Amino acid sequence: MSQRHSHRRGPRADMVPEIAAAVGFVSGLLRTRGCVSEQQLQVFSGALREALTEHYKHHWFPEKPFKGSGYRCIRINHRMDPIISKAARQIGLSLPQLYQLLPSELTLWVDPYEVSYRIGEDGSICVLYEAAAAKPHPSSCGGMLTCKNQMMLGRDSPSKNYIMTVSS
């Protein structure tokens, strides 16, 4: 077995499927507006994949999926997430263009074993990707509030979870 794959016996350490789900989702948002060519989308997707991989490199903890959740959270809240704007610059999209193409309120959580998003401050949290691998027992997070759970506090009604498939 090669040295690269020798770590596969324990918890999954790579972040490939989670990043692919996040990249596919953001690229899909740009695609639906029809203002970006397929070639530009490919370049954008590659740049975003590379940027997220680098950004998460030392903040990915499959054994404690909620650890680092706030750091990995991609957020557009009347301010563009710097990782998205960096990837968009690769295809010549300006900040004003990005604000026209993407929701003004978007939260995208990229965690080991799960990628989910919310559009709008009061929108439902929807799951994009969920791994079949066993997750730690809820009590193992020591009662800590995750970025996503903090957002859900104070809701009058429980959010609905939807599963959306992402294809590339």
Side-chain angles (χ1 to χ4, degrees), residues 7 13-14 20 24 34 36 38 41-42 53 56 62-64 70-71 78 136 139-141 151:
H7 68 278
D14 69 80
V36 181
E38 282 302 314
L41 279 172
Q42 287 180 1
T53 302
Y56 297 164
E63 68 286 354
K64 295 180 182 176
Y71 180 84
H78 304 292
S139 64
S140 69
C141 64
M151 298 268 191

Side-chain angles (χ1 to χ4, degrees), residues 108-127:
L108 181 61
W109 293 279
V110 184
D111 295 320
Y113 310 113
E114 183 178 296
V115 178
S116 53
Y117 73 95
R118 184 186 65 205
I119 295 176
E121 285 300 313
D122 298 318
S124 296
I125 294 175
C126 305
V127 176

Side-chain angles (χ1 to χ4, degrees), residues 45-90:
S45 295
L48 185 57
R49 186 179 312 105
E50 197 173 292
L52 290 175
T53 302
E54 183 62 29
H55 188 68
Y56 297 164
K57 186 167 45 178
H58 300 294
H59 299 274
W60 194 259
F61 309 98
E63 68 286 354
K64 295 180 182 176
F66 301 123
K67 181 179 178 182
S69 182
Y71 180 84
R72 293 186 306 269
C73 185
I74 297 170
R75 187 92 169 100
I76 301 171
N77 184 9
H78 304 292
R79 294 187 69 183
M80 187 56 58
D81 188 279
I83 294 174
I84 291 177
S85 60
K86 179 182 176 185
R89 281 194 302 269
Q90 298 290 314

Side-chain angles (χ1 to χ4, degrees), residues 29-30 33 35 80 93-104:
L29 290 173
L30 293 176
R33 295 296 194 148
C35 301
M80 187 56 58
L93 283 179
S94 66
L95 271 179
Q97 289 171 311
L98 268 181
Y99 284 119
Q100 287 181 335
L101 296 171
L102 296 173
S104 59

